[in-house]
Amino acid sequence: MIQIACPYCGPRDEAEFAYRGDATVHRPAEEAGFHDYVYARANPRGWHLEWWHHTGGCRAVLKVLRHTATHEVRAVGLPADRPEPPSA
Amino acid sequence: MRYSGLRLLTQAFAGNTGWKPAWRDTAPKSSYDVVIVGGGGHGLATAYYLAREHGITNVAVLERGRIGLGNTGRNTTIIRSNYLLPENHNFYEWSLKLWEGLEQDLNYNAMVSQRGVLNLFHSDAARHAAARRGNAMRLDGIDAELLDRAQVAEFCPLIDLDNARFPVMGGLLQRRGGTARHDAVAWGFARAADRRGVDIIQECEVQGIETEGGRVTALRTSRGRIRAGRVGLAVAGSTSLLAGMAGFEVPIESHVLQAFVSEAVKPLVHAVITFGAGHFYISQSDKGGLVFGGGLDGWNSYAQRGNLPAVEHVFAAGVAMMPALSRLRALRSWGGMMDMTPDGSPIIGLTPIQGLTMTGGWCYGGFKATPGSGWCHAWTIAKGEPHPLNAAFTLDRFRQGRLLDERGAGPFAWAQ
Amino acid sequence: MSATEPHPWLAGALVPGRFGAAAGEPVRLGTRACELVQVLARRDGDAALQAAIRAAGGPDLPPPGHAAQGERMAALWTQPRGWLIQAGPDAGLARRLADACGPAAAVVEQTHGRCVFTLEGAHARAVLARLCRVDLHPRAFGPGRVAVTPLSEIAAVIHQTGAAPGFDIIVASSYARAVAGMLAAAAAPIGYQVGGDQMGGDQMGGDQMGGDRVD
Ligand SMILES: Cc1cc2nc3c(=O)[nH]c(=O)nc-3n(C[C@H](O)[C@H](O)[C@H](O)COP(=O)(O)OP(=O)(O)OC[C@H]3O[C@@H](n4cnc5c(N)ncnc54)[C@H](O)[C@@H]3O)c2cc1C
Ligand SMILES: [Zn+2]
């Protein structure tokens, strides 16, 4: 079970959240960037910055740094936060 | 060694001492005409059809672990061709036809069982969608039957037709669909490819892909450098990583899908049944275990294991469809790594690197594609261009807006 | 409909009596009649919302995970910059708050939109633990705390109202019947009492809302 420490609600199980994928995607200003915006997603085996929506709780959209092989959650923040992957 | 009834009999009297390994466990040579990365069903089938259809036998299949332990050995073995879009159903129908002759072809018992695949529906809208899909299939000569409630009840009495939330209104049946034995598919293709000279190299992880002037030249592996002018990727959930080694991106996310098997019971579910109102499908193995699964856990993962919320969801949907299941104990659960594409359809064909081809993006449905994928991938490698059957499954279709969106639900519909 | 009328969705769902396991101390299960108003601060509206709540006899709006009791009403945090205001029967509260807030906040009447269950007794925690995932142990939770979390699959606000312990469980009215059944099923192995001497619900609503049960 993945546990996400919601900054508002405290630690909650993954079942309370809706996963919204890659949090590094940005809406481009130019039409040229739209292919990547719609289809290209980071898919690392390792640290992944991703959106989790606390739909079953406070409804906040959270930015989570999670490892895709161990499932370890390293950081949970608000959309403006910029958690850095551990350098090791 | 050919397998036959007579061989079984003579071996029985010889104390089963005369069997030979089904394939040679070989060390890699320094160079091949073609190297296939990934010893799952798709990679092994690619190698087999390269040898059989195109006479290309200086071929190696490199597998990081042991063959068939990826999704090939983890899936729920459903085979079918009941897709709406012509590009999809024609490809899967070709694959189903290959399944139908596979055991004779490979001289291997893959336990292909055309026991029927029934998709239930629970609303008028879903009935229309099923009828449309069935008609689209029949227009291309593929079998499909629309069952009403009474026919569903007769076909599988265990289904609860009167579930308060999801009453069953009928189902779309493809009688030629069914199941096959997953491990046997890997072993059968491996043995048949080996007999035609293909080297199957296990415990050989590809760690780098070398290119020169946009052409693939060699692979760096845990067992040394291997030169090859043509390389085919068939690595399922690891497609993004291998593409990354070659310097291009694929529109794929790796996700975990779980499956389950119950304790063995007497024959109970004689076909493959899918629930139309939630993520659930079920069949019964010949050993008697009920084999079932549902949807993705829902988040990117390379771990081959899932978590309890998906388990709970699958069991709840299962009991809603067949209340009798609540009396059974689950015996095992496991997970596999799915390479999910935005439109839910696969990618078989050329890549931006010359000489490098791929079959991937199989999402949760690539087992049924195994022979067809290998066949088309082999063609693409041999001819340097896709066969008409896989011409639509290009990597750049997303850039061109030529999506193969079965459900018409837009990108990443499976994630909604 | 005023807050004192019974929830029509619950007709026949919770009947007075003692049910489930017969031995030991039962939990008490009931409903609470009260006014409920959802308030959400709009951009830059936080101060005006706070002023309007205070002027209406409400408390300082509590931080995430907490409830606060004012003179005439309680405020339960439910989401970032959003609260559920709970008061005794007081028709027109939503209108008055909306007028006082103006564009500073979205104010939505929820009195019939939600249903408040009460669950009390030494074993109340054990009953809730069967249905929800949050840690209700006194080390992690306690009187005056609020958790927004699904109860089984149903969205709920859990508010610990007393140390006994006692909980208010607030759900959408359309799910009230289902939740009544869920609570009853979860309480059956322990035994539960509806109404009667050990009254849990409606009779305690209204005026007693502001007592020491909410801190
Ligand atoms: C639980 C579950 C249920 C499923 N149910 C069905 C179903 O009912 N019907 C259906 O049609 N499909 C189903 N699928 C999907 C199906 O299993 C897959 O699409 C299909 O098996 C993919 O075959 P493959 O050969 O490409 O992958 P795999 O069998 O996974 O083979 C890929 C191989 O590549 C190897 N590899 C990866 N990286 C490297 C590297 N760097 N170097 C060397 N080797 C490498 C891996 O070790 C692996 O053996 C299911 C999948 C799962 C997980
Ligand atoms: Zn939260």
Side-chain angles (χ1 to χ4, degrees):
Chain A
M1 181 72 85
I2 295 175
Q3 257 203 352
I4 294 172
C6 173
Y8 296 110
C9 307
R12 295 293 177 89
D13 291 352
E14 69 176 86
E16 294 196 0
F17 295 84
Y19 179 72
R20 294 287 178 226
D22 190 356
T24 63
V25 177
H26 290 287
R27 189 184 173 90
E30 304 284 310
E31 197 187 315
F34 261 78
H35 168 273
D36 285 2
Y37 175 55
V38 178
Y39 299 114
R41 295 290 180 269
N43 190 27
R45 187 184 192 282
W47 296 105
H48 190 231
L49 207 52
E50 51 199 27
W51 296 120
W52 288 78
H53 186 182
H54 198 184
T55 45
C58 67
R59 320 269 163 98
V61 174
L62 307 177
K63 197 186 258 179
V64 175
L65 184 68
R66 189 183 59 94
H67 197 283
T68 59
T70 64
H71 299 166
E72 178 194 342
V73 172
R74 188 54 75 86
V76 184
L78 299 177
D81 293 339
R82 306 237 171 283
E84 290 289 330
S87 42
Chain B
M1 174 191 275
R2 250 197 92 71
Y3 295 158
S4 65
L6 187 64
R7 178 86 65 186
L8 265 182
L9 202 66
T10 50
Q11 279 300 320
F13 285 110
N16 283 315
T17 50
W19 297 113
K20 299 219 176 65
W23 64 88
R24 299 162 293 133
D25 206 359
T26 42
K29 298 191 288 190
S30 63
S31 149
Y32 289 93
D33 292 344
V34 179
V35 170
I36 306 299
V37 186
H42 290 220
L44 295 163
T46 303
Y48 170 70
Y49 289 114
L50 270 174
R52 198 194 81 164
E53 300 285 313
H54 307 284
I56 301 174
T57 55
N58 184 20
V59 175
V61 177
L62 309 185
E63 166 53 48
R64 140 182 95 185
R66 313 293 295 181
I67 63 165
L69 293 187
N71 290 338
T72 299
R74 293 163 185 266
N75 75 89
T76 43
T77 78
I78 300 165
I79 62 176
R80 58 187 174 90
S81 61
N82 55 0
Y83 287 75
L84 171 70
L85 301 179
E87 293 86 348
N88 276 334
H89 64 225
N90 288 331
F91 166 79
Y92 284 107
E93 176 62 10
W94 174 235
S95 196
L96 192 53
K97 291 215 167 91
L98 290 172
W99 281 114
E100 285 171 335
L102 194 73
E103 293 163 317
Q104 307 310 317
D105 195 12
L106 299 181
N107 178 230
Y108 203 93
N109 183 4
M111 296 167 70
V112 176
S113 161
Q114 294 181 287
R115 55 184 69 184
V117 173
L118 177 65
N119 302 151
L120 299 176
F121 49 77
H122 313 261
S123 68
D124 285 334
R127 186 216 304 274
H128 289 314
R132 178 175 172 225
R133 181 153 56 93
N135 284 330
M137 291 162 62
R138 291 172 72 126
L139 282 172
D140 274 320
I142 303 168
D143 72 303
E145 284 168 56
L146 202 65
L147 304 192
D148 62 19
R149 261 170 75 89
Q151 289 168 311
V152 167
E154 197 184 334
F155 187 76
C156 184
L158 275 190
I159 296 169
D160 179 10
L161 297 181
D162 299 312
N163 180 290
R165 273 172 82 189
F166 310 117
V168 173
M169 295 181 66
L172 184 68
L173 174 65
Q174 183 179 29
R175 290 195 193 270
R176 285 168 56 248
T179 57
R181 167 106 158 92
H182 47 2
D183 299 323
V185 172
W187 301 332
F189 272 119
R191 173 170 168 273
D194 173 88
R195 290 173 78 194
R196 288 176 186 263
V198 171
D199 281 359
I200 292 161
I201 300 157
Q202 306 188 100
E203 323 260 309
C204 180
E205 182 178 17
V206 173
Q207 295 160 339
I209 299 178
E210 294 180 15
T211 60
E212 242 177 69
R215 268 205 141 275
V216 64
T217 52
L219 298 171
R220 283 194 303 280
T221 80
S222 56
R223 296 177 72 175
R225 185 166 178 273
I226 301 173
R227 276 180 290 118
R230 282 179 286 179
V231 172
L233 304 180
V235 291
S238 301
T239 304
S240 297
L241 304 182
L242 273 289
M245 291 178 197
F248 65 96
E249 286 183 355
V250 286
I252 283 176
E253 283 185 21
S254 299
H255 279 252
V256 57
L257 178 70
Q258 303 190 60
F260 311 86
V261 67
S262 77
E263 57 193 325
V265 287
K266 287 185 176 173
L268 205 62
V269 180
H270 70 280
V272 179
I273 315 282
T274 73
F275 191 38
H279 292 298
F280 185 78
Y281 58 88
I282 190 165
S283 66
Q284 188 166 16
S285 79
D286 289 356
K287 269 195 290 186
L290 292 166
V291 181
F292 53 95
L296 299 171
D297 272 60
W299 23 262
N300 293 45
S301 174
Y302 283 85
Q304 293 184 309
R305 67 187 143 74
N307 282 348
L308 290 172
V311 177
E312 190 177 1
H313 180 98
V314 169
F315 282 58
V319 171
M321 186 178 96
M322 285 185 183
L325 296 182
S326 65
R327 296 303 169 109
L328 276 176
R329 275 175 294 231
L331 210 57
R332 290 189 301 277
S333 77
W334 63 91
M337 237 154 71
M338 324 306 324
D339 41 349
M340 305 302 297
T341 59
D343 60 0
S345 295
I347 298 164
I348 328 172
L350 308 175
T351 71
I353 309 294
Q354 280 183 48
L356 185 67
T357 55
M358 66 174 285
T359 175
W362 286 101
C363 302
Y364 20 60
F367 178 70
K368 68 180 85 67
T370 305
S373 157
W375 195 94
C376 288
H377 192 201
W379 174 289
T380 309
I381 292 170
K383 312 271 183 189
E385 62 178 23
H387 184 273
L389 278 170
N390 65 310
F393 300 117
T394 61
L395 181 56
D396 65 355
R397 66 175 180 270
F398 304 98
R399 212 168 272 290
Q400 298 175 351
R402 295 173 196 270
L403 270 64
L404 293 166
D405 182 2
E406 236 344 85
R407 284 167 51 199
F412 301 103
W414 43 265
Q416 301 308 313
Chain C
M1 189 181 98
S2 87
T4 42
E5 286 170 33
H7 279 277
W9 301 273
L10 279 177
L14 282 184
V15 289
R18 178 165 177 162
F19 305 92
E25 189 196 327
V27 290
R28 293 181 302 283
L29 187 55
T31 58
R32 183 191 299 289
C34 58
E35 295 273 322
L36 288 169
V37 180
Q38 178 186 281
V39 296
L40 294 173
R42 293 211 173 96
R43 183 173 300 177
D44 302 326
D46 305 65
L49 171 62
Q50 174 66 79
I53 298 288
R54 220 178 275 126
D60 285 350
L61 290 170
H66 289 265
Q69 179 63 45
E71 207 181 305
R72 298 195 53 194
M73 64 195 70
L76 281 58
W77 180 91
T78 56
Q79 69 192 95
R81 306 172 65 223
W83 291 266
L84 208 51
I85 306 298
Q86 189 181 19
D90 178 6
L93 174 66
R95 166 59 55 83
R96 276 186 287 115
L97 286 179
D99 288 347
C101 289
V107 177
V108 186
E109 165 69 276
Q110 287 289 333
T111 304
H112 347 84
R114 312 276 181 107
C115 175
V116 184
F117 289 94
T118 55
L119 179 70
E120 298 169 335
H123 301 298
R125 243 182 237 114
V127 173
L128 267 186
R130 287 166 178 268
L131 299 171
C132 83
R133 298 178 172 86
V134 291
D135 186 355
L136 299 171
H137 190 277
R139 264 199 314 268
F141 211 74
R145 292 296 307 277
V146 167
V148 183
T149 189
L151 211 59
S152 192
E153 302 274 311
I154 295 172
V157 177
I158 296 173
H159 173 200
Q160 185 165 345
T161 50
F167 297 93
D168 274 10
I169 298 151
I170 308 175
V171 299
S173 296
S174 49
Y175 284 116
R177 246 192 127 74
V179 172
M182 260 162 44
L183 286 168
I190 288 163
Y192 65 97
Q193 171 90 34
V194 178
D197 297 332
Q198 316 177 48
M199 196 61 71
D202 281 317
Q203 276 83 345
M204 298 193 65
D207 296 336
Q208 294 181 34
M209 263 293 302
D212 55 0
R213 292 163 40 83
V214 182
D215 54 2

